[in-house]
Amino acid sequence: MSTGIQSSIDSHQAITRTLRAAGCVYAEDEAALLLQAFTGDRLLEMVSRRVAGTPLEQILGWAEFRGLRIVVEPGVFVPRRRTELLVEEALALRPTTVVDMCCGSGAVGAALEHELGHLDLHATDIDPVAVRCARRNIGAGHVYESDLYSALPQHLRGCIDVIVANAPYVPTDAIASMPAEARDHEPRVALDGGLDGLDWHRRIADDARQWLTDRGHLLIETSVGQAKGTVQIMRGAGFDARIAHSDELDGTVVVGEVRTA
């Protein structure tokens, strides 16, 4: 066995042990990714950052989401696998005009754009760092720095087929108990959903109908424990609503359809 190969194995084993000791559940896989991306002193620096709690995706500069490499800049919310359920529910509706609300890195919009092909895609986020990142991930779509609907073009009123939203839904008091890599390295504006975690869901649902078509849909990611609350919010805003859940993805989405008279 050559010295170079032996050194690589030793490095992988050493990094794996270091990451495992720091509490990284997938230490072996993370060590392999870090070794692929960095060498020498840079590698040691990145291992130290990971041990300190920086999300692996922010270290690598990308996150895998439905087979895509989504650019993730420092300080931007890292897309989770559970959010793939939001994409699956939207795909089933075969929309032609979509708004990705509270888009973060733009992962949901990018996945829909990739899998649907021709799509009139618009995305909004209140965080300018997230907007800059989303513009790198969403090719032909339009990304706006916007407090929800405020910057959307007026010609979209009544013309949107689907609004998808992975809005903040962590109750304010629960943020302190989140894992450090989320609590300390992702923007609070991407996490804090208010007292019960549903403040953003209320605001999104309240104004959604004026933007959707008569047969439009509003899809909001939520948690198992909050799903019934999100359903009630949607019903109060004029939607028929149901809960979709995936054990495989550990994801929960409330699907609302504009209620017809």
Side-chain angles (χ1 to χ4, degrees):
M1 182 181 294
S2 73
T3 302
I5 294 175
Q6 182 63 57
S7 175
S8 176
I9 292 173
D10 290 344
S11 295
H12 184 268
Q13 292 173 346
I15 293 171
T16 298
R17 287 195 299 269
T18 300
L19 296 178
R20 187 171 290 127
C24 297
V25 178
Y26 302 105
E28 189 168 356
D29 294 338
E30 291 193 14
L33 288 168
L34 289 167
L35 280 163
Q36 290 172 14
F38 307 104
T39 59
D41 291 343
R42 184 74 168 154
L43 174 61
L44 295 176
E45 176 190 348
M46 296 305 162
V47 171
S48 296
R49 287 183 60 193
R50 183 67 185 119
V51 168
T54 303
L56 177 69
E57 294 83 358
Q58 291 185 3
I59 292 171
L60 296 174
W62 58 270
E64 183 176 350
F65 187 79
R66 288 190 68 87
L68 300 177
R69 280 197 175 188
I70 301 296
V71 174
V72 178
E73 296 182 11
V76 172
F77 183 81
V78 175
R80 274 58 160 177
R81 186 163 181 259
R82 62 175 174 262
T83 304
E84 293 184 7
L85 180 62
L86 191 60
V87 176
E88 291 179 5
E89 291 294 326
L91 287 172
L93 299 170
R94 307 302 297 178
T96 57
T97 303
V98 172
V99 170
D100 182 1
M101 190 73 62
C102 302
C103 67
S105 65
V108 172
L112 290 172
E113 188 176 51
H114 175 74
E115 297 185 46
L116 287 173
H118 298 294
L119 181 65
D120 184 12
L121 174 64
H122 302 260
T124 77
D125 201 286
I126 199 170
D127 183 357
V129 178
V131 168
R132 183 178 68 234
C133 187
R135 285 173 177 159
R136 298 176 64 185
N137 289 310
I138 295 176
H142 306 278
V143 184
Y144 313 94
E145 183 179 334
S146 176
D147 182 8
L148 301 183
Y149 304 92
S150 62
L152 285 178
Q154 289 302 304
H155 73 265
L156 290 176
R157 285 184 180 271
C159 297
I160 298 168
D161 298 313
V162 170
I163 296 170
V164 290
N166 181 16
Y169 57 88
V170 180
T172 302
D173 290 345
I175 292 175
S177 61
M178 293 183 70
E181 62 183 69
R183 183 184 68 239
D184 297 338
H185 296 276
E186 294 182 320
R188 189 180 180 94
V189 70
L191 304 173
D192 193 342
L195 187 63
D196 63 355
L198 301 178
D199 282 0
W200 288 92
H201 294 185
R202 294 184 181 92
R203 292 187 60 207
I204 291 168
D206 282 349
D207 291 334
R209 285 198 59 175
Q210 62 183 296
W211 293 93
L212 290 165
T213 68
D214 291 341
R215 303 179 70 177
H217 290 77
L218 171 62
L219 281 59
I220 299 181
E221 178 177 315
T222 190
S223 69
V224 171
Q226 293 163 301
K228 289 182 179 179
T230 305
V231 165
Q232 291 305 313
I233 288 168
M234 282 207 194
R235 288 176 177 168
F239 293 88
D240 294 320
R242 63 178 176 84
I243 299 170
H245 179 77
S246 167
D247 289 333
E248 179 186 358
L249 296 173
D250 190 28
T252 304
V253 172
V254 173
V255 180
E257 180 177 5
V258 172
R259 187 184 300 131
T260 56

